[in-house]
Amino acid sequence: MRMSKTPVIHDNNERPGPVKKPALWKRLLAAVLSPLVFLVLIELVLTVTGYGRPRGFFIPWKTVEGKVYLSNAHYCEHFVPNELSRAPEKCALDAKKQRSTVRIFVLGGSAAYGDPEPAYGFCRQLEVLLSAQAPQTSFEIVNAAVTSMNSHVARRIAQDCAAHQPDLFIVYMGNNEVVGPYGPPTLPAGLYASGAFIDAAIAAKKETRIGQLVANVAVRARAPKGVERKWLGMEAFLTSQIARADAKMQSCYRHFSRNLRAIVRTAQRSGAKTLLCTVPTNLRNCAPFASQHKNGLNADSLAEWDRCFDAGRDLELAGDFDAALEQYEQARKIDDGYAELAYCMGNCLYVLGRTDEAKAKYTQARDLDTLRFRADSSINAAIRQAAKDLAGRGAVLLDLESCLEDRAKDGLLDASFLVDHVHLNFGGNFVAAYAAAQAIADLLPQAGLSGVGRSERDLYDLCRKRLVYTAQEKYRLAMVMYRRKTLPPFAGQLGHEKELEAMREELFALRRTMKGQNEPEADYVGALGEAPLDSYLTVRYGDSLVTAGHLRDAIELYRKVLDAQPFSMKVREALAQALARGGMQNEAVKTVTSDLTPYRYSRKEALLMLGTYYVKAGMIAEAQAVYQELNEIDPENVDVLVNLAAAASHARDFDAMKRYLDKALKIAPDSVQATINMGNFYAKKNQPAVAQQWFAKAVERDPQSELAHIGLGIQSLLLEQMDKGAEHVARAAELKPDFFEAYQLLAALCAQAGQPEKARKYAELVALFQP
């Protein structure tokens, strides 16, 4: 019997109606909040997992003696790509400042940092002078200046420094406002004009882990595989030209002024005073790095300008300065905004004794320079105005520009105080530090600085003695500066070859003075007696001991300092090199990979450092073993492959040499070092024509490579292309003034050509530089 189904009765009132959508404002809110919540979650995950670099300029570190704060070596990577980032000087601050300590922070770029050698820079000399005048007080001069950084960075460094009981900030900056982070060339005019936008961009990249992640991904995406991106110095900014008339320059000055004021307010809140320094720059010995014509000139006007300028240059070089000025004046009437024209007019006026007019032209040339590596008149005016406006907030002006000009011949800053466009030499840094010490005596009465009890000359000698500034060091730094001057943008300046010639003569004179002299051991011992933990002096003294064959004494010296300052990477590197020289490579690696320092190397970094050291020390077998291990770690590292090829060449394993070079050039076809070594390969195989082609490629890729020129010169001589060969050998000697092998060749060529005087001159240089 079939059961009937019970009918289901539907009540229309119970039927679900259409789903009511949330209000529009709620949907919009969800659309906005959802990605924000997602980003916050990512930020939390990255924070919990420890991703990213420390945000602060200082990082806390525990030692046996207690807690210290160390400078963050990667701090500037928050603002610029790694290859443009420079590490600050490694310094350590006790977590608790002693009552007898006066703590002074120095902010700025490379000039304040002490380039080319901070061991003799402004900060170091200031500490010597202050300590000499108030021995009962402990002065900590914290070098918080960083190469290539500007006020956008210094403002934030000041905020971090303010947490460490400062007594004084010294602000010595202004050269990098255009070429530094977030300078005018980096952003469109509309965005660059907004200080709020720049602040937000910095905060997004520096203060958030997501910002760091995005930046790191972008860097890895653009980095060529197997090629280490390297610091290029001023060459990295050759495309950053900007004219004085560009509207973005006014925004630049406004941002600089705003950042200065922010630093002073930060100092005031921390209870510290601020010393605002004007920026001295080289006017007379530094031609503009780049010039641009004003807009709107037609072809006929440009042609006439060129004719007048070229005629003026010919007359100037011939010594007819009045006639040259007449031609330059005709060019000026067409276009008065070309920096090189103003500089040439300044040169003529100076020779004619019209120094006030010359100074005005030199200043105009600097201000018109479109590669703006020097603080211009508007930058110094902003510093003076800030000091005036903020005097009630503890800001005081230190007019270093005027101070140095008062001591300069004819009131024109030149090579007597500066090694290049902005960096002071030892004497210039002394004058700046001496002026700062006098200002500090008035600013900080609690420091107990007495009136200067010694003559200025005695204090200069004291700095030289305490920092062991010797003839050897003067020569070494002169060689560093010479090499720098062979590279762009210096290589493109007016009068560049004449300047290099004068520098070579100075180098030869310095070499004659120091040749045969030993490093003054007694001076090191005396200086270290005053400052036993000074890492600069420790490393230099230890290096002199190693050179003299006292390896054990050097190792003992380094270990003694590391017992007190285990975080000192400078001393660790020196100890590792000494251990490696003594055949203790494993211990050397452990020394620089130790977890007792936050600056510790990875094993790869340690091996790269040791490989470089072995090559310089001539320890080829050891270098080869290191680079073979590195090749296993990173088989596509071009530098490693090139060094393996060089080691194979030394062992006369030419098949291996060719194999390594082929691989290197496949990864990086434009590698200059690989190209040079391929030239060496064919030279070893007695194929001068092929070798010449490779060396010619290397010269084309890097005209400032002395190794490329010497290789091309030698192969050309072998092919009996005597003039070409001599030209490139001579160029190699110009690029490397201590290149005694080049002088040997030149001496032989001159003797063969019947030029006994030239041959004798080159033979003397061989004797002067031969080890």
Side-chain angles (χ1 to χ4, degrees):
M1 181 176 179
R2 181 177 293 180
M3 300 285 294
S4 63
K5 292 183 178 179
T6 305
V8 178
I9 301 173
H10 295 283
D11 187 344
N12 290 334
N13 293 328
E14 293 181 1
R15 288 181 182 177
V19 178
K20 187 177 180 181
K21 293 182 179 180
L24 178 61
W25 70 269
K26 291 183 179 180
R27 282 180 279 157
L28 291 175
L29 183 63
V32 171
L33 289 180
S34 295
L36 289 178
V37 170
F38 178 69
L39 291 175
V40 169
L41 287 173
I42 294 178
E43 182 74 13
L44 286 173
V45 170
L46 292 174
T47 301
V48 169
T49 56
Y51 179 84
R53 297 176 292 273
R55 298 184 181 98
F57 187 75
F58 295 101
I59 53 178
W61 193 253
K62 287 185 178 180
T63 70
V64 175
E65 300 296 326
K67 187 178 181 181
V68 296
Y69 285 90
L70 306 176
S71 55
N72 178 2
H74 300 286
Y75 180 79
C76 293
E77 293 170 22
H78 290 299
F79 304 92
V80 294
N82 294 9
E83 66 270 16
L84 296 180
S85 175
R86 305 303 287 164
E89 185 177 44
K90 293 180 174 63
C91 57
L93 300 176
D94 289 332
K96 186 176 180 181
K97 187 179 76 170
Q98 300 299 313
R99 294 184 64 182
S100 62
T101 296
V102 170
R103 189 170 281 172
I104 299 171
F105 293 93
V106 178
L107 304 173
S110 56
Y113 175 75
D115 188 82
E117 179 50 82
Y120 312 115
F122 171 79
C123 296
R124 296 264 291 172
Q125 296 204 45
L126 178 60
E127 188 165 354
V128 171
L129 292 176
L130 293 177
S131 299
Q133 293 183 53
Q136 74 283 359
T137 304
S138 174
F139 290 94
E140 286 184 356
I141 312 298
V142 183
N143 189 348
V146 192
T147 297
S148 294
M149 297 300 107
N150 59 17
S151 64
H152 292 301
V153 180
R155 170 183 171 180
R156 288 156 176 85
I157 293 175
Q159 293 170 352
D160 291 341
C161 294
H164 296 281
Q165 303 167 278
D167 295 290
L168 176 68
F169 284 92
I170 299 178
V171 182
Y172 174 12
M173 68 182 178
N175 293 315
N176 300 324
E177 290 310 299
V178 173
V179 297
Y182 301 92
T186 62
L187 293 168
L191 294 178
Y192 181 67
S194 171
F197 174 81
I198 292 175
D199 289 343
I202 292 174
K205 185 177 178 183
K206 174 178 179 290
E207 301 300 332
T208 68
R209 311 282 178 172
I210 293 175
Q212 293 188 43
L213 175 63
V214 171
N216 290 341
V217 170
V219 167
R220 290 193 182 96
R222 71 171 185 269
K225 191 174 182 181
V227 179
E228 298 286 342
R229 298 176 71 89
K230 297 175 182 177
W231 167 251
L232 294 175
M234 293 169 67
E235 284 187 83
F237 305 100
L238 295 181
T239 59
S240 299
Q241 289 194 49
I242 184 168
R244 187 184 189 187
D246 193 304
K248 287 197 284 187
M249 286 306 301
Q250 295 307 311
S251 297
C252 178
Y253 301 136
R254 188 173 66 254
H255 294 327
F256 178 65
S257 182
R258 183 176 73 107
N259 289 333
L260 278 181
R261 284 161 166 73
I263 290 170
V264 173
R265 288 194 298 271
T266 296
Q268 184 187 31
R269 286 194 295 268
S270 69
K273 304 288 182 63
T274 308
L275 203 56
L276 295 177
C277 304
T278 55
V279 184
T281 63
N282 191 334
L283 292 178
R284 193 167 74 83
N285 298 133
C286 182
F289 292 109
S291 303
Q292 289 180 1
H293 285 292
K294 66 182 181 182
N295 293 328
L297 291 178
N298 58 38
D300 290 341
S301 296
L302 282 172
E304 179 62 13
W305 189 97
D306 286 339
R307 186 193 68 75
C308 295
F309 181 77
D310 292 343
R313 281 293 290 162
D314 290 340
L315 289 165
E316 180 188 346
L317 294 173
D320 192 346
F321 302 107
D322 285 310
L325 276 174
E326 291 179 9
Q327 291 296 321
Y328 288 146
E329 179 60 25
Q330 294 303 311
R332 189 195 67 79
K333 290 177 181 178
I334 300 169
D335 181 6
D336 63 353
Y338 202 79
E340 281 186 350
L341 173 62
Y343 184 77
C344 290
M345 294 182 77
N347 283 337
C348 293
L349 290 165
Y350 182 77
V351 174
L352 293 170
R354 297 158 62 181
T355 53
D356 290 342
E357 294 173 84
K359 183 175 181 180
K361 284 298 178 185
Y362 284 136
T363 302
Q364 182 187 22
R366 178 198 63 192
D367 292 352
L368 290 172
D369 193 340
T370 56
L371 269 177
R372 311 183 78 83
F373 293 114
R374 293 178 287 179
D376 63 17
S377 299
S378 296
I379 289 290
N380 275 328
I383 295 168
R384 293 186 174 98
Q385 189 62 47
K388 181 180 179 181
D389 295 344
L390 301 172
R393 291 179 176 267
V396 172
L397 179 69
L398 177 57
D399 199 341
L400 290 183
E401 183 184 46
S402 297
C403 178
L404 284 158
E405 283 179 344
D406 289 344
R407 295 164 178 261
K409 182 182 178 183
D410 300 315
L412 282 168
L413 285 176
D414 58 12
S416 58
F417 286 115
L418 296 111
V419 295
D420 55 14
H421 57 305
V422 295
H423 301 113
L424 298 172
N425 59 20
F426 188 90
N429 277 308
F430 170 78
V431 171
Y434 183 74
Q438 291 177 309
I440 292 168
D442 295 330
L443 264 177
L444 302 178
Q446 73 272 25
L449 290 162
S450 59
V452 178
R454 308 188 198 186
S455 71
E456 188 175 333
R457 182 67 207 183
D458 286 343
L459 289 171
Y460 175 85
D461 288 339
L462 176 68
C463 285
R464 185 177 51 78
K465 184 177 180 181
R466 288 281 178 86
L467 303 179
V468 195
Y469 183 63
T470 62
Q472 287 87 344
E473 283 296 280
K474 191 173 182 180
Y475 168 76
R476 181 181 69 83
L477 293 178
M479 190 65 76
V480 168
M481 290 311 305
Y482 183 92
R483 178 57 182 165
R484 186 179 295 184
K485 289 288 185 76
T486 66
L487 303 172
F490 297 105
Q493 287 180 297
L494 279 177
H496 177 250
E497 291 302 323
K498 187 176 179 181
E499 181 185 15
L500 285 185
E501 184 180 350
M503 291 180 74
R504 282 196 298 275
E505 291 302 320
E506 181 186 1
L507 278 167
F508 298 158
L510 287 170
R511 178 72 177 181
R512 292 186 187 100
T513 299
M514 62 158 282
K515 190 170 175 63
Q517 294 182 1
N518 294 320
E519 285 280 61
E521 183 173 356
D523 289 354
Y524 284 123
V525 172
L528 283 169
E530 298 289 338
L533 299 180
D534 187 314
S535 61
Y536 287 106
L537 292 176
T538 297
V539 170
R540 281 182 54 207
Y541 182 33
D543 186 58
S544 71
L545 289 171
V546 171
T547 302
H550 304 304
L551 187 62
R552 183 176 298 176
D553 291 340
I555 291 173
E556 183 180 340
L557 172 70
Y558 295 144
R559 284 177 169 160
K560 184 178 179 181
V561 173
L562 286 176
D563 285 342
Q565 294 184 342
F567 45 77
S568 176
M569 201 62 191
K570 188 189 300 289
V571 178
R572 283 191 175 276
E573 288 172 351
L575 174 58
Q577 290 172 358
L579 291 168
R581 193 179 188 93
M584 296 172 277
Q585 182 177 304
N586 289 337
E587 192 172 349
V589 171
K590 290 178 183 177
T591 297
V592 290
T593 57
S594 168
D595 59 7
L596 293 176
T597 172
Y599 308 122
R600 60 185 175 272
Y601 287 172
S602 65
R603 181 171 180 83
K604 176 183 172 181
E605 291 168 333
L607 291 173
L608 284 169
M609 184 269 290
L610 290 178
T612 301
Y613 176 75
Y614 282 141
V615 170
K616 288 182 178 178
M619 302 169 70
I620 304 302
E622 291 82 355
Q624 185 176 26
V626 164
Y627 284 119
Q628 283 173 343
E629 181 177 346
L630 281 166
N631 191 44
E632 294 175 5
I633 297 172
D634 186 359
E636 296 197 336
N637 186 299
V638 172
D639 289 339
V640 171
L641 291 168
V642 168
N643 279 287
L644 280 171
S649 172
H650 190 269
R652 302 192 67 77
D653 186 352
F654 299 125
D655 289 340
M657 181 184 183
K658 182 69 161 51
R659 188 167 62 251
Y660 289 129
L661 291 175
D662 282 340
K663 185 174 181 180
L665 287 165
K666 183 178 180 180
I667 297 168
D670 294 331
S671 169
V672 175
Q673 288 303 314
T675 304
I676 290 172
N677 275 275
M678 190 63 87
N680 287 330
F681 168 78
Y682 284 107
K684 297 276 188 182
K685 300 292 284 185
N686 295 318
Q687 299 181 42
V690 182
Q692 184 189 52
Q693 292 174 3
W694 281 98
F695 285 122
K697 284 183 185 178
V699 168
E700 183 180 354
R701 289 169 183 169
D702 183 3
Q704 276 72 43
S705 170
E706 71 277 6
L707 295 178
H709 280 286
I710 194 72
L712 181 54
I714 291 172
Q715 299 311 307
S716 299
L717 293 173
L718 290 173
L719 293 169
E720 298 185 356
Q721 300 169 7
M722 308 308 288
D723 290 343
K724 181 177 181 179
E727 175 189 346
H728 284 284
V729 173
R731 182 58 179 157
E734 289 174 1
L735 291 167
K736 191 177 188 300
D738 61 347
F739 205 163
F740 75 91
E741 295 95 339
Y743 294 133
Q744 286 176 325
L745 279 171
L746 290 169
L749 288 171
C750 288
Q752 185 179 346
Q755 300 173 319
E757 284 301 311
K758 281 189 174 182
R760 182 183 59 79
K761 174 186 173 183
Y762 286 125
E764 288 176 355
L765 292 174
V766 172
L768 186 62
F769 289 106
Q770 193 165 17

